[in-house]
Amino acid sequence: MGPDSVPGPAVSWRKVLWERQPFPDNYVDQRFLEELRRNEGIRQYRYWAVVKEAGFVGQQLSCVAIFITLWLYMEQGLLSPEMLLWTSLISGLLGYGLHQVLISQEESSCEPRTRLADLQSATIFLSFTFGFSPVLKTLTESVSTDTVYAMSAVMLLAHLVSFPYAQPSPRGSLSINAALFASVCLASRLPGALHTFAMLSCALLVFALWPCLLQKIREKAPSHFTGVCVGVCIIGVGGLGSQSPGGAILLALALGSVTLLCPLLLVRLQRHKDNIHGPWDEAEIHEDLSRFIH
Amino acid sequence: MVLKIFFPQCCNRADSGLLVGRWITGHDSAVVLAVIHYPFIPSQVKQYVQQMQAQSRVELSVLGSWSLPKEGQEGMESFLRDLSTIFPQERWLQISRQMGKMGFTCQVLDRDQNGKVVQRAVKKEKKEVKDDNEGEEEQEEKEEEEEKVIFIHYEQRKVMLSELHRIENGIPAPKADPPSELSQMFETVANSQPLFFMDKYDDGPLKSTHWQSEGREASIIVELLKQASVPLCLLISWMLSIWTWICNLRIFSLYPVRFLSSKLSTCVQLSYRTEHMRALCSPKAAAGHTQFMRKANILVSFLVDVALGVLLMSWLYRDDHITALANTLVPAADHVAKELEELLQWLMGAPAGLKMNRALDQVLGRFFLYHIHLWISYIHLMSPFIEGILWYGGLSACLGLTFALSLLSDMVALLTFHIYCFYVYGARLYCLKIYGLSSLWRLFRGKKWNVLRQRVDSCSYDLDQLFIGTLLFTVLLFLLPTTALYYLVFTLLRLVVVLFQGVIHLSVDFINSFPLFAVGLRICRSYRLADGVKFRVLCDEPGTCLHLLMEINPLKCSTVVQTYRTPTYSCYPKDSWAALIKKLFVGELIYPWKHKSTKTE
């Protein structure tokens, strides 16, 4: 149908404008919009699969809660820095062992880091942190407590938001840096230089090394991954509950909404999707260009 | 076609005779320079004209005839008309004037191809070209012709002495452009000076009327000065060459000495004055108007400078002023040091309620306090010698006020050297911190500066890089207020000193470069610096030609100053305000007064 009801002559209309045709320029025939496709490439989500993936987000939230719990204990003097240091060291070694076991299971040809390089990194971390801890301790002396708390909260939030949940292999610099900044701010509030050192080592463990291990577990043993996530969430809620019940309740609510409610919303709202595609979309290159590399 | 004839005012009442002058090429005009009176011998006139042409290099020729018939000279008309045959010219002017009437009448005779003298053809509305006309019948044509000749009267002496400046949009135009009619006319009159030397009381074969000088200078003193000036110039040039040779000795080209002498403004001023004196005392006479003005300006400003310096000296060495100055100098330095110490103590506390990092604060504060202590010891060590230094330094004022001011600026720089040091320390620390912070901020976001492409790119860092980078970022960020405050305080102090030095330098520069002679000339003899001309209508009667009076329009004072400024190492601010503030913010060292090197001609 055209916009003006002119019956078409014997010549058929072609969808070109560079030829003079007996039709007006804005004429369309009955094949209008036949190339329109709706909701192409839409995925069907299954609820429990999404819940399993969302567990990762909840797990990270609980990690932050665990860190804050440890800091609260240190600040109140209930946890001594030496104890924390030893615990971190041991769990670090355990984690490292597990990591190496998981790595040896794969036969990929990419260059593995040698044990020597790992030892070197660890030495650098520890010596640097130990050397700088007196300086770090006096950093926020003159800043008021509220400011410190606010800064740390903002930074931890930034860490959670920018964490690379889907693909941890390009390392998310902003998330790690934000978490470390927040931990430095909090650690400088503690009463001694050793406290600061212990807190920073713990932060390194929790925010930098733990996601690596988790990623390996997720790749190699997906069934165990879910169990680990659930375990971490429970520990987080429990730890926070020992310090402040209100916080524990809030955390539980947050975990519940992230892990259970949001996937439900996602699945339910899929049916309201209405995307249209057609030949007017931008071209996507589907060719495999790797043949030019070899 | 309008014919313009430039006629000197002194010849308005001249006796009848021949007009000598020049046709201006390319334009339809003629400049009349002199009138040679009857009786004369034509061959002598031709010889004289050729001699003058050789001397003055102006294309002189006999333009025509002039007749102002007095009683008993009625028959001159035809005689003067016949002269056109004796002096072969392309065009022959016949200008005549009646006693008692203002206007002139003019006839123009042309030569056609046959060599006969013809009247100028007049284009009427019918556009007929009439050749072959003899002079008699054209009463009406003569009237039409007289309308098309304009007489422009000029005062010969003023035009001879004046210099026409070609200024377009405030910038002096280059001389390479095809010279305009006016500039050609001015040049003609200025170059025809040999023509004007013939005095009316001379006993020569020719008598002429033109501008006469009042008589050559006969004063003995002026003659003696003129005679003495050449050996004096030679002597001064010889002394200057010895001085330059001493300055160029190898021992002075060593790096520290050369560096110091380029920084001390006294040495710079000394070298600058040497240049001036050398330009002034060169034995060659000034070639051209610009050179002459340059030399005159240098001489006058030098004399004024020395006079002011001698005035300063007479004040300084009278009534023990030097001792009084020396006695106030050391207590003033002490006072400044004490003020600085109090400032540092304030900074080491909690200044203005700002949150400073205590440890860093103490470190920086103690460091600067120790410096001040060193400085005060130095001042006390020097205090016995200060009076002597001031006494000998004051002697330098006899070379000019500019030297005394430069010496003052150097002494201020030396006395506030500790402020300069503090500023450099603070600025370097701050700059390093800002640089580190910006780089680590990029690391914080996971980006890197791509030096090749000059842009910020994303980059995947290793874990240890990230860790150490974040720690350092935190440290630098929290130490920023402390460093920034110290930097701010010392920058402000340094800016005060720089401002003071800048004022001194500006005044020195002003004395050096202001063209006093040119301004004086503009005020007293304004016709010598001409910007252009203006015309006033003298006589516009219908039966005669149009008469205009040309008056010289002098240059504006601001243009005079701009054109004749002596090029100096003018101190002007190197950076614009925005660039300066940006540099202050980033922590780059600022040297706001740039010394431009003198332009070589």
Side-chain angles (χ1 to χ4, degrees):
Chain A
M1 308 278 185
D4 45 343
S5 49
V6 170
V11 165
S12 66
W13 174 80
R14 288 194 305 144
K15 196 176 161 191
V16 293
L17 278 180
W18 65 78
E19 269 187 17
R20 195 167 275 287
Q21 303 187 70
F23 306 98
D25 280 344
N26 55 358
Y27 175 77
V28 287
D29 62 1
Q30 72 275 11
R31 291 180 296 147
F32 183 54
L33 285 186
E34 71 178 2
E35 292 167 59
L36 177 75
R37 298 185 299 281
R38 282 173 179 278
N39 283 339
E40 175 185 272
I42 201 173
R43 293 192 291 190
Q44 296 296 326
Y45 290 109
R46 291 187 315 117
Y47 180 66
W48 287 109
V50 178
V51 167
K52 218 196 278 193
E53 296 298 323
F56 194 23
V57 179
Q59 179 275 135
Q60 195 62 27
L61 198 56
S62 317
C63 269
V64 170
I66 291 176
F67 178 72
I68 293 182
T69 314
L70 285 172
W71 179 77
L72 281 171
Y73 272 112
M74 288 267 293
E75 207 211 354
Q76 289 167 3
L78 298 172
L79 183 60
S80 73
E82 293 88 1
M83 168 82 114
L84 185 62
L85 268 176
W86 282 116
T87 320
S88 310
L89 196 62
I90 292 172
S91 31
L93 283 171
L94 279 176
Y96 184 63
L98 185 60
H99 189 252
Q100 291 298 97
V101 162
L102 286 173
I103 276 198
S104 64
Q105 284 180 3
E106 70 182 40
E107 299 92 13
S108 63
S109 60
C110 58
E111 250 178 56
R113 278 173 68 93
T114 61
R115 304 254 163 79
L116 194 61
D118 289 341
L119 188 64
Q120 200 179 7
S121 293
T123 319
I124 290 180
F125 293 153
L126 290 174
S127 52
F128 205 77
T129 318
F130 191 66
F132 260 68
S133 53
V135 177
L136 292 173
K137 187 190 164 333
T138 64
L139 273 184
T140 57
E141 251 179 346
S142 50
V143 185
S144 74
T145 318
D146 295 334
T147 318
V148 172
Y149 288 168
M151 267 196 308
S152 311
V154 166
M155 282 297 163
L156 284 173
L157 204 63
H159 160 73
L160 283 173
V161 164
S162 60
F163 190 84
Y165 295 106
Q167 272 182 319
S169 35
R171 191 186 297 284
S173 302
L174 183 58
S175 67
I176 290 188
N177 286 337
L180 282 176
F181 188 88
S183 56
V184 169
C185 287
L186 286 176
S188 61
R189 277 288 179 212
L190 293 174
L194 197 60
H195 298 250
T196 315
F197 175 50
M199 203 74 233
L200 278 176
S201 317
C202 174
L204 185 66
L205 213 64
V206 168
F207 291 119
L209 298 177
W210 171 247
C212 286
L213 184 60
L214 206 62
Q215 181 62 20
K216 276 282 172 284
I217 294 179
R218 187 189 198 180
E219 277 173 24
K220 293 292 178 296
S223 51
H224 295 301
F225 174 68
T226 324
V228 166
C229 286
V230 171
V232 169
C233 291
I234 292 176
I235 297 177
V237 173
L240 204 56
S242 67
Q243 278 290 321
S244 91
I249 294 178
L250 273 175
L251 183 64
L253 275 176
L255 283 175
S257 68
V258 162
T259 329
L260 296 173
L261 189 60
C262 294
L264 187 67
L265 278 176
L266 182 68
V267 173
R268 280 289 175 79
L269 291 173
Q270 281 294 304
R271 78 178 86 135
H272 293 290
K273 253 196 168 170
D274 189 11
N275 295 341
I276 54 176
H277 306 270
W280 52 82
D281 286 339
E282 276 179 29
E284 289 173 16
I285 302 176
H286 293 289
E287 247 181 78
D288 182 22
L289 293 174
S290 62
R291 61 189 170 95
F292 290 115
I293 299 177
H294 302 304
Chain B
M1 298 229 285
V2 177
L3 178 66
K4 296 186 274 279
I5 302 182
F6 290 89
F7 203 79
Q9 275 191 320
C10 44
C11 297
N12 276 349
R13 296 185 181 276
D15 290 337
S16 316
L18 281 178
L19 296 169
V20 174
R22 178 186 175 214
W23 286 100
I24 297 187
T25 50
H27 305 269
D28 220 0
S29 34
V31 180
V32 174
L33 291 169
V35 177
I36 301 185
H37 300 299
Y38 178 76
F40 51 79
I41 304 176
S43 60
Q44 277 188 338
V45 170
K46 284 191 204 174
Q47 192 185 12
Y48 175 67
V49 165
Q50 273 175 352
Q51 191 184 353
M52 285 297 119
Q53 188 165 351
Q55 268 188 2
S56 67
R57 283 191 291 262
V58 174
E59 294 154 5
L60 294 175
S61 56
V62 178
L63 295 177
S65 66
W66 160 256
S67 78
L68 175 63
K70 303 224 165 60
E71 309 87 32
Q73 284 184 348
E74 285 83 3
M76 298 286 292
E77 291 277 339
S78 53
F79 166 70
L80 289 174
R81 201 176 314 141
D82 294 335
L83 283 174
S84 63
T85 52
I86 306 178
F87 295 99
Q89 300 294 335
E90 285 278 328
R91 285 199 277 193
W92 182 259
L93 301 171
Q94 281 183 326
I95 309 180
S96 64
R97 182 185 180 186
Q98 309 289 333
M99 285 297 298
K101 275 173 87 172
M102 279 254 297
F104 299 173
T105 52
C106 174
Q107 291 180 36
V108 182
L109 303 176
D110 271 334
R111 280 192 191 287
D112 68 347
Q113 293 92 344
N114 302 334
K116 275 181 8 179
V117 175
V118 297
Q119 194 89 26
R120 163 68 70 91
V122 166
K123 286 194 163 58
K124 294 203 225 174
E125 298 86 82
K126 291 180 263 186
K127 287 196 197 237
E128 286 165 29
V129 178
K130 299 186 197 150
D131 23 2
D132 298 0
N133 280 331
E134 288 299 307
E136 286 89 1
E137 31 156 284
E138 298 75 26
Q139 205 56 30
E140 55 272 12
E141 278 163 272
K142 230 199 304 190
E143 279 174 312
E144 263 123 67
E145 240 182 62
E146 283 168 10
E147 283 174 29
K148 311 244 174 174
V149 176
I150 300 182
F151 281 93
I152 303 179
H153 295 264
Y154 67 96
E155 199 178 317
Q156 213 163 30
R157 171 170 163 269
K158 286 196 176 169
V159 172
M160 181 180 76
L161 290 174
S162 157
E163 167 78 16
L164 186 65
H165 296 80
R166 307 181 60 194
I167 313 273
E168 291 159 22
N169 304 332
I171 310 163
K175 301 276 184 180
D177 292 350
S180 68
E181 187 178 346
L182 263 180
S183 50
Q184 284 197 24
M185 183 247 171
F186 270 71
E187 260 178 63
T188 312
V189 179
N191 289 342
S192 315
Q193 293 220 359
L195 191 63
F196 302 140
F197 284 161
M198 193 159 75
D199 203 276
K200 65 183 172 199
Y201 301 113
D202 279 348
D203 264 336
L206 301 171
K207 295 245 180 289
S208 65
T209 303
H210 48 73
W211 167 72
Q212 311 270 1
S213 72
E214 299 297 313
R216 312 263 175 83
E217 260 89 74
S219 152
I220 293 191
I221 298 182
V222 173
E223 281 300 315
L224 275 177
L225 273 178
K226 279 195 194 164
Q227 294 296 323
S229 66
V230 170
L232 192 68
C233 282
L234 283 175
L235 179 69
I236 296 184
S237 318
W238 178 76
M239 280 168 46
L240 281 177
S241 63
I242 292 201
W243 170 251
T244 322
W245 176 78
I246 293 179
C247 286
N248 286 343
L249 278 180
R250 288 293 290 270
I251 196 169
F252 289 126
S253 332
L254 291 177
Y255 171 66
V257 182
R258 169 109 56 117
F259 178 71
L260 261 183
S261 69
S262 72
K263 289 286 172 219
L264 286 176
S265 52
T266 318
C267 297
V268 176
Q269 175 72 8
L270 201 65
S271 72
Y272 189 58
R273 275 290 183 223
T274 317
E275 279 283 326
H276 274 176
M277 296 306 288
R278 198 175 319 145
L280 194 59
C281 299
S282 65
K284 305 194 296 275
H289 172 83
T290 328
Q291 291 274 20
F292 168 70
M293 294 295 282
R294 170 80 41 90
K295 277 192 167 183
N297 280 331
I298 292 177
L299 184 65
V300 170
S301 76
F302 178 67
L303 289 176
V304 166
D305 193 16
V306 170
L308 286 175
V310 168
L311 213 67
L312 179 70
M313 266 175 72
S314 73
W315 173 80
L316 209 58
Y317 286 100
R318 183 163 38 121
D319 296 340
D320 266 349
H321 276 144
I322 293 209
T323 323
L325 259 178
N327 285 344
T328 55
L329 203 64
V330 173
D334 266 342
H335 179 72
V336 166
K338 203 188 301 298
E339 291 289 319
L340 268 180
E341 275 182 24
E342 276 182 24
L343 180 70
L344 280 171
Q345 295 289 355
W346 180 68
L347 282 179
M348 275 161 69
L354 287 173
K355 310 276 201 306
M356 313 279 275
N357 186 299
R358 201 172 313 269
L360 188 63
D361 217 351
Q362 298 282 326
V363 163
L364 286 176
R366 292 231 179 93
F367 179 63
F368 290 131
L369 276 174
Y370 181 63
H371 261 78
I372 293 184
H373 171 75
L374 275 181
W375 190 253
I376 286 298
S377 321
Y378 173 65
I379 294 271
H380 282 266
L381 204 67
M382 291 271 295
S383 59
F385 305 112
I386 290 205
E387 187 172 342
I389 293 178
L390 275 182
W391 204 90
Y392 287 110
L395 280 183
S396 74
C398 72
L399 286 174
L401 184 66
T402 48
F403 277 99
L405 284 177
S406 314
L407 207 63
L408 177 69
S409 152
D410 285 336
M411 275 178 52
V412 163
L414 280 179
L415 285 178
T416 58
F417 190 63
H418 52 327
I419 295 184
Y420 174 65
C421 278
F422 288 172
Y423 165 69
V424 172
Y425 297 153
R428 285 266 183 251
L429 207 63
Y430 180 74
C431 177
L432 208 66
K433 182 169 292 242
I434 292 282
Y435 181 68
L437 262 179
S438 62
S439 171
L440 289 173
W441 171 246
R442 283 193 285 268
L443 182 141
F444 196 89
R445 286 165 23 225
K447 301 204 184 289
K448 195 175 78 137
W449 175 253
N450 188 341
V451 182
L452 188 63
R453 292 296 190 102
Q454 296 286 313
R455 66 176 183 207
V456 176
D457 276 343
S458 60
C459 170
S460 62
Y461 289 100
D462 282 341
L463 188 60
D464 30 2
Q465 288 171 329
L466 283 179
F467 185 70
I468 296 180
T470 308
L471 278 189
L472 280 179
F473 175 73
T474 320
V475 168
L476 284 180
L477 187 67
F478 280 106
L479 292 182
L480 187 65
T482 314
T483 325
L485 194 69
Y486 273 91
Y487 171 68
L488 187 71
V489 167
F490 290 129
T491 308
L492 283 177
L493 283 176
R494 169 87 184 134
L495 281 180
V496 164
V497 171
V498 159
L499 208 67
F500 180 66
Q501 275 192 312
V503 165
I504 293 186
H505 282 167
L506 274 178
S507 51
V508 164
D509 191 44
F510 179 72
I511 297 181
N512 272 339
S513 72
F514 191 69
L516 263 181
F517 180 73
V519 169
L521 204 64
R522 164 72 181 83
I523 294 178
C524 304
R525 305 246 185 279
S526 60
Y527 57 83
R528 289 194 62 168
L529 303 166
D531 190 16
V533 294
K534 51 184 190 260
F535 297 100
R536 191 152 56 93
V537 176
L538 280 182
C539 159
D540 193 9
E541 291 159 23
T544 56
C545 313
L546 177 64
H547 290 265
L548 299 171
L549 177 66
M550 183 172 86
E551 287 170 351
I552 296 184
N553 224 4
L555 276 178
K556 289 203 292 272
C557 281
S558 56
T559 326
V560 168
V561 171
Q562 197 178 353
T563 323
Y564 288 110
R565 272 180 62 105
T566 326
T568 68
Y569 55 92
S570 48
C571 291
Y572 60 94
K574 178 159 69 164
D575 299 307
S576 65
W577 284 109
L580 192 68
I581 291 186
K582 179 170 176 286
K583 274 194 178 173
L584 279 177
F585 197 67
V586 169
E588 265 181 58
L589 291 176
I590 46 173
Y591 295 102
W593 304 108
K594 178 182 154 188
H595 277 209
K596 197 167 64 158
S597 57
T598 61
K599 276 197 293 208
T600 52
E601 299 256 302

